Amino acid sequence: MKVWTYLLLAFTMITSCSSHSESQKLIWYNNATINNILEDPDKPEEVVRVAIGISAQVFYISKKSSDYKTLIEKATRSFKKGKTYNIGVEIKTNMIRQINEVK
């Protein structure tokens, strides 16, 4: 009985991880600099507004995200020091999901 439990658990973990990565479609803004970071006036407890690029497109970082601290640190570094990053924005939600170093 324990073998079946472990197999079921392993199968569940594998399928949940793979479906999550496929469901998250991102648009990438490469070599982008963040021009502004503001508290969202409509949902200050949920998201932070982030403006990317010269045309100042507005995106959001969720305060409820598990990697909020990392994302906001990189966004702040880009805003204050002009550091460029590759920024992944989720399609249809305008939520920033990844901020990666430029290689």
Side-chain angles (χ1 to χ4, degrees), residues 15-98:
T15 56
S16 67
C17 291
S18 63
S19 65
H20 176 68
S21 63
E22 290 177 1
S23 66
Q24 189 177 36
K25 304 280 186 200
L26 301 178
I27 295 175
W28 287 94
Y29 294 85
N30 295 321
N31 297 311
T33 305
I34 293 176
N35 293 342
N36 204 355
I37 301 173
L38 296 169
E39 292 291 324
D40 186 81
D42 299 328
K43 301 176 186 177
E45 64 284 344
E46 292 181 27
V47 295
V48 176
R49 283 188 184 180
V50 177
I52 298 175
I54 295 171
S55 62
Q57 295 174 304
V58 176
F59 301 100
Y60 302 93
I61 297 176
S62 173
K63 290 183 176 182
K64 297 178 181 180
S65 172
S66 61
D67 51 352
Y68 170 75
K69 186 176 178 180
T70 304
L71 293 173
I72 201 68
E73 284 175 1
K74 288 180 179 179
T76 302
R77 191 175 309 129
S78 179
F79 175 55
K80 290 186 176 180
K81 297 185 178 182
K83 182 157 176 58
T84 59
Y85 288 99
N86 295 330
I87 302 171
V89 178
E90 188 175 35
I91 296 173
K92 296 182 183 178
T93 66
N94 283 347
M95 290 291 204
I96 295 174
R97 298 296 181 192
Q98 292 183 31

